[in-house]
């Protein structure tokens, strides 16, 4: 892409970089606005938390599939008009979601949002990288792009809490639409009317592969997200989703193997280090999903206010920034990928084991601050190096397919992380709650004594004896429930920390990572 014919000559380079970065934040808004505070969003739409998780999967899954064909659209339309239409459509979609209380229609709008999120991201990132003259331009560009995406949730949640405390939920959508409108104005200000590529007819797009892939992704996500809630294979919907995912996924693979110009070239999987990078990406996102347990505990056990939880997340953001700076320095100083990955996953293990001892009925912010920040450092250290490592593990002509596969790894890692944590948490909490109840049966002398004490306490507050007794038993059951949650969390974090140590061990004995880093280094600096 020629930067000379794209931007207006009088716009300074620093302004172009700032505007491109601002426009790239669209991905942050589209992914985070309805998942930053699922309780309020679920209440507004009258749906369950799983429904909001599925809506995120719909947007991210559509984004993943659309990446396969976005270059055709970019080549077909003039650059400036292309971006103007995308951001205008995104603004319109947000306005429509503000007035949509039907969940099926909401999902359709989320599909549209996934498409408009995917269409500009690759080209804008390439434009951004082209503005840096440093030999580290690729590192800087990817760090800015993925760093913004990674930091999305805490910032959006804080904005959401402020809006919800002062205005109606719909103002979340209004604010998001305003962001898109500002992007439209900035594009008008920065870009020239020009065409960069030869116009290729859109009918040459492999729409069959696109539909097959979207169907496989959405059915697979439905299976993962709703499996436990619908009792797995006792549900016809779950069985049908799995069958459709397997059939359409299989047909997509067969088609790619037999067409002359595949939409996704499966030969990228021939490279050992590419498979290693993809596996590490999935493990990274599964490990990252444990942070949701911390936030859930803050709400349900420690009874922290939403605004406090939102503000606490800035500690994790600080860790993210520190980690990204460290990873940038590591990459610029040619530190091997093996070393970076070992440090990152080792920090994940430290976070998991440390937090295992912090799941207690009450705790102060000072007690959790350091491990909570360490998790952010681990994420920041691993994120961009994992992306660059995966892309550089294959020859240059396979790099776009490797990048898309990396997005797929991050998507399925997120979905699997949510499903794994959700299913494990439900199973362990039921198990421990059942065991704990054996010790608090109403026939137990200790329970009777505690109920009597609580009954007297409530009676002194003006309750009659029946209501006071019921409240006393309810408080005991609530205490048992909290204990089962804490014990379950401890077990999950212990297992996850052990898995992280196993990952570190295999990284240390892996002999191929240095070879891939040497290839990656040569591609960046043209040595």
């Amino acid at each position: 892409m020629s930067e000379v014919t794209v931007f207006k000559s009088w716009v300074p380079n620093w302004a172009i970089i700032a505007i491109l970065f601002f426009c790239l934040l669209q991905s942050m808004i589209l992914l985070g606005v309805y998942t930053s505070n699922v309780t309020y969003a679920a209440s507004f739409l009258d749906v369950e938390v799983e429904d909001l998780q599925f809506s995120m999967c719909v947007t991210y899954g559509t984004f993943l599939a659309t990446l396969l064909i976005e270059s055709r659209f970019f080549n077909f339309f003039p650059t400036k008009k292309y971006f103007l239409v995308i951001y205008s459509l995104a603004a319109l979609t947000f306005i429509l979601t503000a007035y949509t209380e039907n969940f099926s229609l909401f999902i359709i709008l989320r599909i549209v949002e996934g498409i408009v999120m995917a269409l500009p991201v690759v080209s804008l990132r390439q434009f951004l990288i082209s503005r840096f003259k440093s030999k580290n331009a690729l590192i800087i560009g990817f760090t800015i792009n993925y760093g913004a995406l990674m930091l999305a949730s805490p910032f959006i949640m804080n904005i959401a809490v402020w809006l919800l405390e002062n205005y109606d939920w719909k103002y979340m959508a209004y604010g998001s639409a305003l962001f898109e409108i500002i992007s439209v104005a900035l594009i008008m200000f920065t870009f020239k009317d020009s065409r960069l590529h030869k116009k290729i007819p859109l009918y040459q797009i492999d729409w069959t592969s696109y539909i097959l892939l979207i169907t496989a992704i959405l059915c697979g996500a439905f299976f993962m997200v709703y499996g436990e809630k619908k009792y797995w294979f006792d549900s016809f919907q779950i069985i049908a989703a799995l069958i459709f995912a397997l059939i359409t996924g299989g047909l997509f693979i067969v088609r790619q193997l037999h067409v002359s110009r595949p939409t996704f070239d499966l030969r990228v999987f021939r490279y050992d280090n590419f498979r290693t990078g993809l596996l590490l990406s999935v493990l990274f996102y599964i490990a990252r999903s444990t942070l949701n347990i911390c936030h859930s505990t803050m709400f349900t056990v420690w009874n922290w206010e939403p605004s406090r939880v939102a503000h606490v997340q800035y500690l994790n953001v600080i860790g993210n920034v520190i980690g990204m700076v460290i990873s940038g320095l590591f990459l610029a100083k040619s530190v091997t990928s093996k070393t970076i990955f070992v440090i990152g996953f080792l920090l994940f293990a430290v976070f998991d084991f440390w937090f295992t001892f912090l799941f207690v009925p009450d705790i102060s912010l000072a007690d959790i601050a350091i491990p909570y920040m360490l998790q952010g450092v681990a994420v920041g250290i691993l994120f961009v190096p994992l992306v660059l490592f995966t892309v550089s593990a294959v020859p240059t002509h396979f790099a776009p397919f490797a990048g898309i596969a990396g997005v797929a790894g991050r998507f399925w890692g997120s979905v699997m992380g949510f499903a794994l944590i959700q299913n494990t948490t439900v199973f362990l909490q039921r198990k421990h709650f059942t065991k704990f109840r054996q010790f608090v049966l109403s026939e137990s002398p200790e329970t009777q004594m505690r109920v009597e004490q609580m009954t007297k306490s409530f009676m002194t507050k003006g309750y009659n004896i029946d209501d006071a007794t019921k409240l006393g038993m309810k408080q005991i059951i609530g205490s048992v429930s909290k204990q089962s949650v804490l014990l379950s969390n401890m077990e999950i974090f212990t297992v996850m920390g052990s898995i992280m140590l196993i990952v570190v061990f295999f990284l240390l004995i892996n002999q191929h990572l240095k070879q891939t880093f040497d290839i990656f280094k040569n591609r960046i600096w043209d040595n």
Side-chain angles (χ1 to χ4, degrees), residues 125-143:
R125 188 173 63 206
Q126 288 300 108
F127 283 137
L128 180 63
I129 292 173
S130 72
R131 304 309 299 181
F132 295 100
K133 305 306 179 183
S134 167
K135 67 176 184 178
N136 297 318
L138 187 64
I139 296 173
I140 296 170
F142 273 77
T143 300

Side-chain angles (χ1 to χ4, degrees), residues 455 458-471:
T455 299
F458 282 114
M459 289 179 67
T460 59
K461 298 177 182 178
Y463 292 93
N464 61 48
I465 187 168
D466 291 335
D467 291 340
T469 302
K470 290 178 182 178
L471 289 170

Side-chain angles (χ1 to χ4, degrees), residues 60-76:
Y60 205 165
T62 308
F63 167 80
L64 168 60
T66 306
L67 285 178
L68 293 174
I69 60 175
E70 65 82 24
S71 61
R72 292 298 186 91
F73 284 93
F74 180 71
N75 293 342
F76 183 80

Side-chain angles (χ1 to χ4, degrees), residues 138-156:
L138 187 64
I139 296 173
I140 296 170
F142 273 77
T143 300
I144 290 175
N145 181 201
Y146 287 104
L149 188 60
M150 183 172 60
L151 301 177
S153 182
F155 283 104
I156 293 180

